[in-house]
Every structure is written in structure tokens, then in C-alpha cells.
Amino acid sequence: MTPVLSVLVHNKPGVLNRITALFMRKGFNIQSLTVCITENPEISRMTIVMSDMDEAALEQVIKQLHKQIDVLKVTDLTDQAMVARELALIRVNSPIAERAVIHSLIEPFRANIVDVGRETVTVQVTGDAEKIDALIALLRPYGIRELARTGLTALPREAAAGADAKRAGEAQVLHI
Amino acid sequence: MPGISKPADDEMLSRTGETGALWMKGADMVVEALRREQVEVIFGYPGGAVLPLYDALYQCGIRHVLTRHEQGAIHAAEGYARVTGKPGVVIATSGPGATNLVTGLADAMMDSIPLVAITGQVAKTVIGTDAFQETSIIGISTPITKHNYQIRHASEIPKVFKEAFHIANSGRKGPVLIDIPKDVSGEEAWFTYDDPPQLPGYQPTVVPHHMQIRKLMHGLQHAKRPVILAGAGVLHARATDKLLAFVEKYQLPVVQTLLGLGGFPASHPLCLGMGGMHGSAAANKALYETDFLINLGARFDDRLTGKLEHFAPNAMVAHIDIDPAEIGKNVPTDIPVVGDVGEALEMMLGIDVPPPDAAAWREELLRVKRELPFWWVQDGPAIKPQRLIAEIARITKGDVIVTTDVGQHQMWAAQFFPLNQPDRWVTSGGLGTMGFGLPAAIGAHFGHPDKQVVAILGDAGFQMTLQELAVIGEHQLPIKVVIVNNSALGMVRQWQELFHGERYSESLLPWQPDFVKLGEAYRIPSMRVERDDELTSALEAFLGQPGPGLLECVVDPNENVYPMVAPGTGIHQMVGVKP
Ligand SMILES: Cc1ncc(C[n+]2csc(CCOP(=O)(O)OP(=O)(O)O)c2C)c(N)n1
Ligand SMILES: [Mg+2]
């Protein structure tokens, strides 16, 4: 299981350090972590994708997060309907003569070219992690020069919102 | 920032008149906040970054105890908190002052001791420039405090102090650190202390869920081999009377943790004493064979449980803890109860169920308790450390506060000093901090100035913080320092004897200072005793004198702590249960 947690915290200096210090202290491994401000400027949302772990370990992570004074709410999105997105920028070799190939490759991904040079183009793609992985795999043969990924950010779907503490039986991360 | 510029005189007067708010300097606010929190004593050590604070403290009416090292100050604050249930307060300067608090913070974090630690910091204007005596104590202390704050403007002081005291001393207690840049002390702002703390992210559950309590009582009624494990949570909740009432109502045997000692009277027939690595045979048998374990505020520490797969393997486990993260952390739990142990016991007492049919089990445990008590063999003229402890308990009738350091003597004190009342036992459990016992005794004294305090220390651990003898000597505090001198890092020596083929690597201390002269150098009446036949009279003289005293007890250097559950084995695999 790769747990996804959405954590609302006070938007104050040092809070990110508290959370990462907690993860280090308890030996929890993070796959990705994004932090951003919410509709309320005093509150930030952290979307944390954990490395594989069992139920008991995840329960301990959630409880430890709750113990932090600056943590206001922890939502376990792992088994919930959620909208989860990542953005990647991929600078790929693309001599002008072959540029049409890249265009046709990225089109089904609804990715865009956001920067062009003589030798390369930079592709911007958003989606869940698997979609981005797939595009990267497709582009790799052409030579990826540089790659930047944001890590996941997520919200529960409207139908699922409010069901934060309870965990649904099955994983149902919706892919679009 | 609003509220920084000084208001006009008439505006100031009218606001003060209307709301009680006072226009004050930061340093004075700190003192005022401590006053509002009814702090009676502060342990600390001054320095550059806290000069304005010490200026405000000068003749302010709150007692300040100058230790000789910041580590001494924070352990003293811990000792004070342990015996009073109130937060201990410690102040240190920035940089080295703050880093000297680290061990004490970690110790208090592990053992859930309420502390408010105040550190000075370099001025805001130079934070981040590697200014003289700058260190990021917030970064350093984040993993070893329950919470910490760096104050950015004097106007935050009342709110931060109110929150800090609240957080330190509620829920699962612990240390809170407040870092105050030097220039903040000189800033002026409004001071009001009436608003309750606003902490939406901190709402500890105090009252347990009644359904869980019902489940627990239902389980208890059907148990055949019930046992209570009483941890420090009983003491933090000040619930010893309720525990006694519950135990007597259902006639349940009680096992205690190291930190739970004193939460249930050792003299009670149903008390099996401490369980775990150096616990009693009866206590560990109870933990191994039980079919229904009620954990009251203990955290199933590995020194208690031994190898987890052999811990209460056939039991239904009910765990009452104010910290939900402790429940299920180490031992799978059937009946989790989040809440204060006292509240839980009260609810448990409010439900009447038929007492479990456990007479045979009780008899069996009490037989083991009778037949396999803690033991020693008097086999020569040397003083046996176990008898030393037992004699101290006998002569004082147990009516003292006992502090210990860490090592063999600590385990012997836990085994042979029967504790019948709460708040009499001060020891470092979770962190196992050598150097804790002497300064903790000083703090305990200031918590209960009318009580005699006996500090039972190892010859090695004593030397880690012995400079605090100065505090005892200076104020002639009625603290009796007992050095259990086995010329060794005894507990290390024991493990090397048992598990490392008697290769005593760096654990023997054949060279020692003259402890008697050392005590006398600090103007503390000091003596030495070396023979068993002189022990009783020496102890009577030593403990009978008023004021401070230091006694070096030269004990048999080969004595080991038994029984023992070897590391990596189960609690049913004890060795040394009898001579
Ligand atoms: C600060 C610190 N350093 C090291 C240890 C490891 N340690 C545990 S017990 C012990 C020996 C203690 O010797 P002493 O104080 O003489 O007590 P004894 O075991 O001999 O009674 C040591 C070194 C520790 N607990 N704390
Ligand atoms: Mg020793």
C-alpha cells in the first residue's frame, strides 16, 4: 500500500520542519511531499505520499501527525475517491526535423510544449503519477535532458469529502 | 505589527482600566506570566542573551536556584515536576546554555514530565548570521519537545506562555521550550493573561468513551487470569486512590512499571511489584500467563515487555492511555481506551460487574510472590548493595523522597525500596540518563522542602553532575547523597560479564576520587562505610543528622542485578529468580 495523506497545518514558519523531523525520528519514509497554501491563508495543506507500509505503521503515522500541535486535520486519502495530480516538466531532445513525432506522442496525454529550443522542447504534463510515468517512458528513447516533478497534490472528491477518518474497503484512486 | 508603538498615556490608562491589560516590557512580561502560572521556583543559569530576563527576575519574588550547569538545572526542574505534578521551569542562555538543556529535554520527553524551558536567543536582527552564541535550539529541540516556540515579538509573550504551560501539563505531559531573542525582552506591548489558550490542533481526549469502558468491564468479568499493569499514567493522573479502590473491589493483582512505582502501595498484598527486565518473578509470571491485561497508563516499553511475541501471548489486552499513539504501538490491543487514567478508573468503578472468578490465579501469584522475592546472599564482610537499599528504607520507614541515577543501583532501589505513596520516586526511565539523580534530588527538595530526600547514586553517574553538590552545600539542603560505590559502571560491567565473555571493556573504575573529601570540599558532612557490620549504625547516624550529608558506601563490586530477562528473550525466560 502506498498511503496518501492530506494534512492541514498552521501556515507558520517551522511547521514543515516539525513534520519532516517527526518522519525522520519515527523512521517513516516519504515518497513525495507537497506543501501549499489553502483557501485560508493561515492554513497550509501538505500532501504526503508515503513509501509502502502496512496498516499498523500507517495508523502510527496518522496518530503521530495528530499529536503535532500545528496539525489541524489528517485525512487518509489512500482508499478514498480523490483527485490526485502531479505536474512534470520534461526537457527532451527534439531536433527540429523530428519535432512532429514528439507532438504526436504527447497529444493523447494532453501535455503541452511550454518551451522550445533548437535541440530540445520542454513538455508540461499533469495527471496522476502513472500517467506521468507512462509519458516519461515514451519520451525516454529520445533522450530526456532534464526532468522536474512536483510530487502529488490531492483533494478528496466531493462525494467522499467528510469521510476523512473512515477508510473505504478498497483502493479506489480514480485515474483520469 | 499592530500594538507595537507605545500608546499615549491617557489611552494606556483607559485600556488598563477597562481590560486589565498592562503595557509592559518583554522581560517583565515573562516574569508576570510566570507569576500568573504560580511558578514558585525557577532553576537556571544566566548568560548574555538572557541578561534582560535576569534583570527582570532580580528581586522579583520568584525564587531562582542557580545550579552549576544547565543540565543540572533542567534535571532539577524535572525532579520538581515529578514530585509536585506541576511544570518545572528552567532558564538557560542561548548557544551553549541551550544545548546543555538537550539531555534534560529528551529525558522529560521520554518520561512525560511537564517542563517549560526558556532559552535566550541572539537578537532577531542577527538570527541566521552565526552570531556569537547563536544556535538553532528550535531545530535541535523539535524532536525532543512536545512543542516549542520562538517568540518574534513581545506581544506574543502572554499567549505563548499560556499555551506552553497548558501544553506541558495537559494530555500526555511533556517539555515545551520557548526561545526568546534578546531584543524581544526590550520590546513593549500589551499584556493580558485572561484569554484561554486557542489550540484547535491540540484537544487531548480526557474522558474515555463509555462504550470502551463497558467493553473493558465486560471482558474483566469473564477473565480467569486478570492483571493490572500500573504505569506512570496513574501518577500523572493523580489516580492512586481510585486504583486502590478498583483493585480492592475486584481483587486484581497489580504489576507496576519502573515509573509507575508508588502508584499502588508496595505493602498491599495484591502488589506484585515491578515487572520487566529486572522485575519480580511473580510480576513477570502474571504478565506472561494473564488472559486479561488492563494497562493503566504504561507504554509497553521494551524493558517491560521483553521479546514481544512472549508478552502476554494469550491475553485480551485493554490499554488506557491519554496518548492514542501509544495504543497498539507495541502490543496489539483488543480494547483501546483513550483518556485520562483517573477518569477511566472512575467510570470503571461506576459500573458493577460480577468479580472475575480468579481466586486460584491470585493464590498462585501470591505463592510465587512469597516464594520468589527479590533476594541477595550475605556471603562475606562486604556490603551488599541490595541490603544497603533495604536498610535505608527500613531506617527511614520509607517516608522520604528517593531519587536515583541510572544503573544497577537504580534497579536495586526499584526492587528493595518499597514505595507506598505517590510522588516519592524520581528516576530516569525512558532515556536512562546518568547524572540525573543528584540534580533531580535538588528539584525534589524544592517541591517538598519539608521532606527528606535521599539520592541513591552510582559512583559513575554521580560524577557526571557532581558539581551540583555546590547547590546542596550552599543552601545546606536536607538531601542525603548515597554513593553506591562498586568501582564500576556496574550495569555495563554486568552485561559484559554475562554477554561479552567477561571482557570488561572500559567499565571498571579502580581509580576513584576521594568521595568524602569531595563532599567536604562542598561543605557537606561526609562519611564512608565499607563493612557490612558497620552499615546499620553508619546509616542511622547518617540519615539521622539534620541537613545535608554524603555517604560513600563501598559495596561488593561483583554483585549483579537479578532476576534478569536477557535482551531478546521473553519475560517467562528469567534467570536468577533465586540464589
Ligand atoms: C549519560 C549516560 N551515558 C551512558 C549510559 C550507559 N550506562 C548505563 S548504566 C551505566 C553504568 C552506571 O554506573 P554507575 O553510575 O556507577 O551505576 P551502577 O550501575 O554501578 O550502579 C552506563 C555507563 C547512560 N545510561 N547514560
Ligand atoms: Mg557503579
Side-chain angles (χ1 to χ4, degrees):
Chain A
M1 174 171 64
T2 318
V4 182
L5 301 175
S6 177
V7 185
L8 294 179
V9 299
H10 278 134
N11 177 19
K12 289 203 295 213
V15 175
L16 177 59
N17 178 49
R18 282 179 204 288
I19 304 297
T20 51
L22 167 70
F23 280 66
M24 184 173 83
R25 168 160 61 105
K26 294 278 172 185
F28 305 145
N29 243 327
I30 299 178
Q31 249 177 35
S32 83
L33 169 67
T34 62
V35 191
C36 54
I37 209 148
T38 63
E39 71 285 358
N40 177 347
E42 292 182 355
I43 295 177
S44 296
R45 178 186 304 278
M46 295 186 178
T47 306
I48 306 174
V49 182
M50 308 287 303
S51 295
D52 271 359
M53 54 168 54
D54 61 25
E55 287 271 340
L58 177 60
E59 184 182 317
Q60 191 52 215
V61 173
I62 294 172
K63 283 175 165 177
Q64 290 295 338
L65 283 168
H66 272 298
K67 273 176 75 165
Q68 292 291 321
I69 311 266
D70 285 315
V71 168
L72 301 168
K73 187 172 170 184
V74 183
T75 308
D76 177 5
L77 295 176
T78 315
D79 298 341
Q80 267 194 39
M82 64 170 168
V83 195
R85 289 290 181 277
E86 201 179 337
L87 182 145
L89 297 173
I90 309 162
R91 175 163 297 144
V92 61
N93 282 338
S94 173
I96 294 174
E98 294 171 24
R99 209 148 275 185
V101 187
I102 299 290
H103 274 283
S104 63
L105 271 180
I106 69 173
E107 207 227 66
F109 288 83
R110 282 188 262 168
N112 303 317
I113 289 178
V114 291
D115 187 32
V116 289
R118 232 194 296 223
E119 297 299 324
T120 67
V121 296
T122 301
V123 178
Q124 169 190 308
V125 58
T126 53
D128 60 46
E130 282 147 51
K131 174 176 162 188
I132 292 173
D133 289 343
L135 182 58
I136 291 170
L138 271 179
L139 294 177
R140 181 149 284 142
Y142 298 88
I144 292 178
R145 294 277 191 94
E146 273 180 294
L147 174 68
R149 292 176 75 152
T150 58
L152 203 70
T153 189
L155 282 177
R157 289 197 171 267
E158 190 181 69
D164 39 283
K166 292 278 162 288
R167 312 263 310 282
E170 235 175 299
Q172 42 174 251
V173 182
L174 297 188
H175 305 285
I176 295 181
Chain B
M1 186 176 283
I4 307 180
S5 59
K6 187 169 180 156
D9 283 357
D10 51 343
E11 188 195 329
M12 205 143 84
L13 277 177
S14 77
R15 174 145 174 206
T16 301
E18 277 163 33
T19 64
L22 301 166
W23 181 254
M24 296 174 91
K25 260 202 343 219
D28 295 323
M29 284 188 175
V30 171
V31 175
E32 186 58 26
L34 296 176
R35 234 183 243 128
R36 302 282 177 109
E37 295 292 343
Q38 291 166 10
V39 171
E40 29 178 37
V41 57
I42 300 165
F43 304 92
Y45 209 99
V50 285
L51 275 172
L53 208 53
Y54 270 84
D55 192 58
L57 283 169
Y58 189 58
Q59 299 179 338
C60 77
I62 302 177
R63 174 142 203 190
H64 180 282
V65 177
L66 176 72
T67 55
R68 297 308 191 263
H69 189 296
E70 290 87 353
Q71 185 183 357
I74 191 163
H75 291 327
E78 289 183 87
Y80 172 88
R82 255 286 150 71
V83 299
T84 61
K86 295 189 259 184
V89 178
V90 53
I91 303 182
T93 192
S94 66
T99 56
N100 277 346
L101 297 181
V102 165
T103 303
L105 291 170
D107 191 90
M109 185 70 173
M110 279 288 231
D111 288 353
S112 311
I113 298 180
L115 292 185
V116 174
I118 302 166
T119 50
Q121 182 55 277
V122 299
K124 280 181 293 186
T125 45
V126 295
I127 285 181
T129 65
D130 301 326
F132 179 63
Q133 296 193 326
E134 177 179 5
T135 193
S136 169
I137 195 62
I138 293 295
I140 292 169
S141 68
T142 291
I144 49 170
T145 49
K146 186 170 171 186
H147 199 52
N148 57 21
Y149 295 90
Q150 186 171 67
I151 295 188
R152 307 297 302 185
H153 188 268
S155 57
E156 299 164 19
I157 289 174
K159 179 175 179 297
V160 166
F161 272 74
K162 188 127 204 177
E163 289 181 8
F165 275 87
H166 174 66
I167 291 169
N169 208 28
S170 61
R172 179 171 178 182
K173 301 178 179 193
V176 178
L177 181 136
I178 306 172
D179 196 33
I180 309 180
K182 186 170 184 180
D183 47 351
V184 167
S185 295
E187 291 166 357
E188 299 187 346
W190 286 107
F191 182 94
T192 48
Y193 213 70
D194 303 327
D195 308 331
Q198 297 280 325
L199 293 162
Y202 177 70
Q203 311 282 340
T205 306
V206 175
V207 180
H209 200 289
H210 65 94
M211 277 305 296
Q212 297 305 96
I213 298 286
R214 271 181 198 289
K215 269 192 215 156
L216 189 160
M217 295 306 289
H218 182 78
L220 173 62
Q221 138 192 12
H222 298 292
K224 292 275 178 289
R225 298 187 301 280
V227 67
I228 286 184
L229 174 65
V234 174
L235 294 161
H236 289 305
R238 320 221 130 245
T240 49
D241 293 346
K242 289 172 194 162
L243 174 58
L244 183 62
F246 186 74
V247 168
E248 300 215 310
K249 180 169 174 182
Y250 292 101
Q251 292 294 303
L252 304 170
V254 178
V255 173
Q256 297 167 296
T257 66
L258 175 66
L259 292 182
L261 294 175
F264 187 75
S267 58
H268 195 283
L270 286 166
C271 185
L272 304 180
M274 180 173 73
M277 182 171 274
H278 294 298
S280 74
N284 283 352
K285 178 186 170 75
L287 292 176
Y288 182 65
E289 292 179 12
T290 178
D291 68 348
F292 191 75
L293 176 62
I294 307 177
N295 174 345
L296 296 173
R299 61 182 176 85
F300 286 133
D301 167 70
D302 56 82
R303 283 291 192 268
L304 174 87
T305 60
K307 194 162 193 204
L308 277 171
E309 63 181 277
H310 300 302
F311 182 77
N314 303 311
M316 175 174 265
V317 174
H319 185 172
I320 302 171
D321 206 301
I322 196 144
D323 179 359
E326 285 306 331
I327 298 177
K329 186 180 83 176
N330 296 337
V331 172
T333 300
D334 304 281
I335 308 173
V337 184
V338 179
D340 174 86
V341 168
E343 298 282 344
L345 280 167
E346 188 136 348
M347 289 164 79
M348 285 152 69
L349 281 162
I351 299 174
D352 293 319
V353 299
D357 173 18
W361 163 246
R362 231 169 10 242
E363 279 318 304
E364 169 74 0
L365 290 175
L366 296 186
R367 183 184 60 75
V368 175
K369 175 180 169 181
R370 247 186 345 265
E371 290 176 3
L372 297 173
F374 294 122
W375 58 270
W376 76 88
V377 177
Q378 190 65 50
D379 54 6
I383 296 171
K384 295 290 172 176
Q386 301 92 332
R387 192 171 98 83
L388 163 66
I389 308 285
E391 277 295 275
I392 296 171
R394 186 185 64 76
I395 293 166
T396 59
K397 302 190 180 63
D399 190 20
V400 289
I401 293 172
V402 180
T403 77
T404 80
D405 218 77
V406 170
Q408 290 182 313
H409 65 282
Q410 176 190 32
M411 292 300 115
W412 287 317
Q415 292 178 337
F416 291 97
F417 199 107
L419 291 150
N420 290 313
Q421 277 160 300
D423 305 334
R424 297 287 174 85
W425 172 243
V426 185
T427 198
S428 165
L431 200 68
T433 306
M434 284 171 72
F436 173 84
L438 182 67
I442 293 169
H445 162 78
F446 283 100
H448 290 295
D450 46 337
K451 273 247 134 350
Q452 189 168 127
V453 180
V454 179
I456 298 174
L457 313 174
D459 47 320
F462 165 71
Q463 295 184 62
M464 286 201 175
T465 49
L466 72 84
Q467 75 283 347
E468 303 309 337
L469 287 178
V471 182
I472 298 177
E474 179 187 2
H475 303 286
Q476 291 291 301
L477 306 178
I479 294 174
K480 300 294 190 287
V481 178
V482 179
I483 299 171
V484 184
N485 185 0
N486 53 7
S487 295
L489 282 57
M491 190 56 96
V492 174
R493 194 204 59 77
Q494 171 167 349
W495 282 51
Q496 289 173 340
E497 177 184 331
L498 301 178
F499 311 119
H500 295 273
E502 300 182 35
R503 290 156 57 82
Y504 298 122
S505 180
E506 304 298 321
S507 63
L508 304 181
L509 294 176
W511 190 95
Q512 298 277 34
D514 184 327
F515 288 114
V516 172
K517 280 193 183 147
L518 192 57
E520 282 167 354
Y522 286 98
R523 293 183 213 121
I524 295 170
S526 303
M527 54 202 267
R528 175 182 298 120
V529 57
E530 298 180 60
R531 292 178 51 91
D532 178 70
D533 54 8
E534 296 164 346
L535 177 65
T536 300
S537 57
L539 276 177
E540 279 169 351
F542 170 70
L543 294 165
Q545 79 201 356
L550 182 150
L551 177 68
E552 178 197 358
C553 261
V554 179
V555 300
D556 186 338
N558 298 316
E559 235 9 78
N560 284 339
V561 184
Y562 288 117
M564 180 169 192
V565 177
T569 67
I571 44 168
H572 61 310
Q573 293 162 302
M574 302 187 86
V575 294
V577 290
K578 52 183 167 191

